[in-house]
């Protein structure tokens, strides 16, 4: 599958927080990885001003494209709206709204980080859809745009051609999710390893981790989850995991949910789908065999979960991402 072009919208003026969120997609999509996929993504820095540059605290970022070029991109990233939009009642810049609408009408995938969701909302791209933003800004987003199903509890939401994420590091989770969609699980996992971050945090994971969970719980849970990953082909239950963690099933359920934002059964399913993806990419094993090795059971079960969670059949996934 082709990685395509990514238009990263750069405001004329930005602060340190904006720089962090601009840097995430720039690092993921703008750094060639020829040993993982060649060609890699083509990154366009699209300035919002006529001087083709963005000015931050003490430095200037020269842009290569303008808003007029956004319409021709395969993917468009917006992580910014003026502070006055959030703090006051200023409108989202109409030229930005128009560019997003044109790009979407032209078939582009539109992605927002943090308050960038306000630009997508103003363009009408989130009407009737689930969406998220940083939890500090979701209440206002829901108030201003009641047609949106705002979810303030998740890291990111994938609606196919429109994706939104919470702020800061959640943007990296979304970027890796896009790489996984475009280039396969192996490439995404290898890229995450180079960036020294988790290979896959599902979008449904909670933005806010329960700080009442003792630190040593996280360490004990990780050892249990590693143990489970080595036995995904076995019929694991919540009771098995809880017993390994020396907890009651109820306590284990609560601690895992507080730490990961997901339930034990959903965590197991996510891991089994990831195992199946890796086997489809790297082996010639039959779908039935892969279903057994990943713990999903039968080929029909694997097809069902792949269509629901990955969006394609196992055979189509293998055809797109096979490394054999």
């Amino acid at each position: 599958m082709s990685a395509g072009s990514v238009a990263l919208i750069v405001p004329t003026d930005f602060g340190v927080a904006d720089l962090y969120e601009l840097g995430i997609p720039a690092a993921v999509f703008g750094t060639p990885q020829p040993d993982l996929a060649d060609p890699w993504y083509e990154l366009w820095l699209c300035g919002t001003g006529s001087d083709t540059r963005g000015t931050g605290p003490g430095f200037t970022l020269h842009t290569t494209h303008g808003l007029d070029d956004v319409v021709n991109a395969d993917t468009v990233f917006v992580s910014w709206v003026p502070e006055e939009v959030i703090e006051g009642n200023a409108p989202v810049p109409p030229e930005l709204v128009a560019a997003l609408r044109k790009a979407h009408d032209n078939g582009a995938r539109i992605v927002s980080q943090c308050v960038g969701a306000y630009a997508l909302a103003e363009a009408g791209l989130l009407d009737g859809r689930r969406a998220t933003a940083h939890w500090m800004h979701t209440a206002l987003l829901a108030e201003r745009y009641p047609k949106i199903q705002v979810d303030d509890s998740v890291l990111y939401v994938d609606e196919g051609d429109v994706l939104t994420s919470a702020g800061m590091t959640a943007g990296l989770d979304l970027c890796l999710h896009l790489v996984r969609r475009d280039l396969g699980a192996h490439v995404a996992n290898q890229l995450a390893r180079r960036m020294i971050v988790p290979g896959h945090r599902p979008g449904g994971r909670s933005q806010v981790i329960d700080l009442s969970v003792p630190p040593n719980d996280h360490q004990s849970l990780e050892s249990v989850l590693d143990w489970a990953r080595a036995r995904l082909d076995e019929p694991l239950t919540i009771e098995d995991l809880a017993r390994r963690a020396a907890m009651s099933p109820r306590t284990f359920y609560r601690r895992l949910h507080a730490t990961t934002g997901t339930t034990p059964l959903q965590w197991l399913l996510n891991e089994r789908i990831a195992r199946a993806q890796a086997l489809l990419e790297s082996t010639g094993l039959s779908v039935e065999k892969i279903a057994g090795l990943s713990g999903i059971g039968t080929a029909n079960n694997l097809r069902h979960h792949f269509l629901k969670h990955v969006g394609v059949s196992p055979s189509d996934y293998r055809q797109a991402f096979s490394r054999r």
Side-chain angles (χ1 to χ4, degrees), residues 170-193:
L172 179 54
D173 294 306
L174 179 54
C175 288
L176 290 172
H177 171 72
L178 289 173
V179 173
R180 183 179 295 268
R181 265 183 52 172
D182 295 341
L183 301 174
H186 173 76
V187 172
N189 290 339
Q190 291 302 309
L191 180 61
R193 184 180 181 189

Side-chain angles (χ1 to χ4, degrees), residues 11 28 59 73 90 135 142 148 156 170 182 185 241 243 273 283:
V28 171
F59 55 86
W135 61 266
I148 304 173
Y156 57 85
D182 295 341
L241 300 176
R243 190 179 307 112
I273 291 173
T283 75

Side-chain angles (χ1 to χ4, degrees), residues 112-118 131-138 141 150-155 164-167 207:
S112 71
Q113 297 170 266
C114 195
V115 296
Y118 284 77
T132 194
H134 193 290
W135 61 266
M136 293 178 65
H137 303 296
T138 47
L141 181 66
V150 178
D151 190 340
D152 63 357
S153 65
V154 296
L155 294 176
T164 55
S165 80
Q207 288 188 32

Side-chain angles (χ1 to χ4, degrees), residues 19-66:
L19 178 63
Y20 180 81
E21 288 174 343
L22 288 169
I24 289 172
V28 171
F29 303 113
T31 305
Q33 309 283 346
D35 58 321
L36 296 182
D38 193 15
W40 193 247
Y41 296 87
E42 182 182 357
L43 181 68
W44 303 348
L45 298 180
C46 297
T48 58
S50 58
D51 59 356
T52 66
R53 64 179 182 177
T55 303
F59 55 86
T60 298
L61 179 62
H62 291 276
T63 55
T64 56
H65 296 70

Side-chain angles (χ1 to χ4, degrees), residues 23-302:
I24 289 172
V28 171
F29 303 113
T31 305
Q33 309 283 346
D35 58 321
L36 296 182
D38 193 15
W40 193 247
Y41 296 87
E42 182 182 357
L43 181 68
W44 303 348
L45 298 180
C46 297
T48 58
S50 58
D51 59 356
T52 66
R53 64 179 182 177
T55 303
F59 55 86
T60 298
L61 179 62
H62 291 276
T63 55
T64 56
H65 296 70
L67 280 180
D68 290 342
D69 298 307
V70 168
V71 67
N72 297 314
D74 296 304
T75 301
V76 179
F77 256 86
V78 54
S79 59
W80 157 93
V81 291
E83 186 175 346
E84 294 78 15
V85 173
I86 308 300
E87 301 297 332
N89 200 28
V92 178
E95 62 274 14
L96 173 59
V97 173
L100 293 177
R101 285 175 178 160
K102 289 179 181 178
H104 185 258
D105 290 344
N106 202 40
R109 180 172 58 185
I110 311 297
V111 183
S112 71
Q113 297 170 266
C114 195
V115 296
Y118 284 77
L120 274 61
E122 189 64 28
L125 303 182
L126 299 179
D127 289 354
R129 300 177 186 254
R130 284 181 65 238
T132 194
H134 193 290
W135 61 266
M136 293 178 65
H137 303 296
T138 47
L140 182 60
L141 181 66
E143 178 184 338
R144 288 190 183 176
Y145 303 98
K147 294 182 180 180
I148 304 173
Q149 302 169 34
V150 178
D151 190 340
D152 63 357
S153 65
V154 296
L155 294 176
Y156 57 85
V157 175
D158 183 346
E159 290 282 298
D161 59 339
V162 177
L163 301 91
T164 55
S165 80
M168 309 303 274
T169 307
L172 179 54
D173 294 306
L174 179 54
C175 288
L176 290 172
H177 171 72
L178 289 173
V179 173
R180 183 179 295 268
R181 265 183 52 172
D182 295 341
L183 301 174
H186 173 76
V187 172
N189 290 339
Q190 291 302 309
L191 180 61
R193 184 180 181 189
R194 292 176 184 185
M195 302 182 78
I196 317 180
V197 294
H200 183 219
R201 290 203 299 172
R205 183 166 178 171
S206 176
Q207 288 188 32
V208 182
I209 300 300
D210 184 356
L211 297 181
S212 65
V213 178
N216 61 344
D217 272 356
H218 176 71
Q219 296 171 358
S220 63
L221 283 176
E222 279 302 314
S223 65
V224 172
L225 299 184
D226 286 342
W227 175 85
R229 289 187 186 99
R231 295 164 176 79
L232 290 175
D233 58 333
E234 300 177 12
L236 299 173
T237 65
I238 297 176
E239 287 74 17
D240 294 330
L241 300 176
R243 190 179 307 112
R244 184 73 183 182
M247 301 176 187
S248 70
R250 183 176 180 179
T251 298
F252 180 79
Y253 184 104
R254 186 175 68 252
R255 298 282 172 80
L256 182 68
H257 192 274
T259 303
T260 68
T262 190
T263 66
L265 291 181
Q266 186 60 52
W267 181 89
L268 278 170
L269 179 58
N270 291 338
E271 292 294 323
R272 283 169 167 155
I273 291 173
R275 173 68 57 80
Q277 287 178 303
L279 291 172
L280 286 166
E281 291 180 25
S282 60
T283 75
L285 296 173
S286 68
V287 172
E288 188 75 40
K289 183 67 172 178
I290 288 174
L293 290 173
S294 60
I296 293 179
T298 66
N300 283 338
N301 279 344
L302 183 60

